[in-house]
Amino acid sequence: MVPVEYYLVLSAAVFSIGLFGLLTRENALLFLMSVELMLNAANINFIAFSLQWGNLTGQVMSLFVMGLAAAEVAVGIGIILVLYRNFKDVDVTVPQSMRW
């Protein structure tokens, strides 16, 4: 049996990598990948605490987070396609003229 602390350290590391990617990148695709890493870190926490307490609540919440991540990717890819179509680049610092 693996202690819960190992899962928490793994989750913190994955979340930190995702946060670093979100704060330092300018590419919209890398933004999406970083947000996915952060959501997967939350899933690791849900599963770890579900395992520790012996109930299925964390696993059910993890399934909801996976559905949220799928919806986020669908909307994000749509935004990235519009960004590329209008500006021929997926750099998020370029489209300052997309405002009204």
Side-chain angles (χ1 to χ4, degrees):
M1 178 105 178
V2 179
V4 166
E5 291 83 13
Y6 292 163
Y7 291 115
L8 296 179
V9 169
L10 174 67
S11 175
V14 170
F15 188 85
S16 298
I17 292 169
L19 185 62
F20 177 76
L22 191 68
L23 293 176
T24 60
R25 304 292 182 216
E26 294 179 354
N27 190 337
L29 288 173
L30 293 177
F31 271 13
L32 283 178
M33 290 172 51
S34 298
V35 170
E36 290 297 321
L37 280 174
M38 293 167 64
L39 288 174
N40 284 331
N43 281 342
I44 292 171
N45 277 337
F46 283 138
I47 298 297
F49 286 120
S50 176
L51 177 68
Q52 181 185 13
W53 291 326
N55 60 13
L56 295 177
T57 307
Q59 294 177 10
V60 170
M61 282 301 295
S62 180
L63 287 174
F64 282 122
V65 170
M66 283 186 222
L68 175 77
E72 175 254 333
V73 166
V75 171
I77 292 294
I79 291 171
I80 289 171
L81 287 174
V82 168
L83 185 69
Y84 183 75
R85 191 175 302 149
N86 290 338
F87 296 100
K88 302 296 184 235
D89 195 11
V90 289
D91 187 6
V92 293
T93 59
V94 173
Q96 295 179 0
S97 65
M98 283 184 72
R99 291 183 238 153
W100 296 94

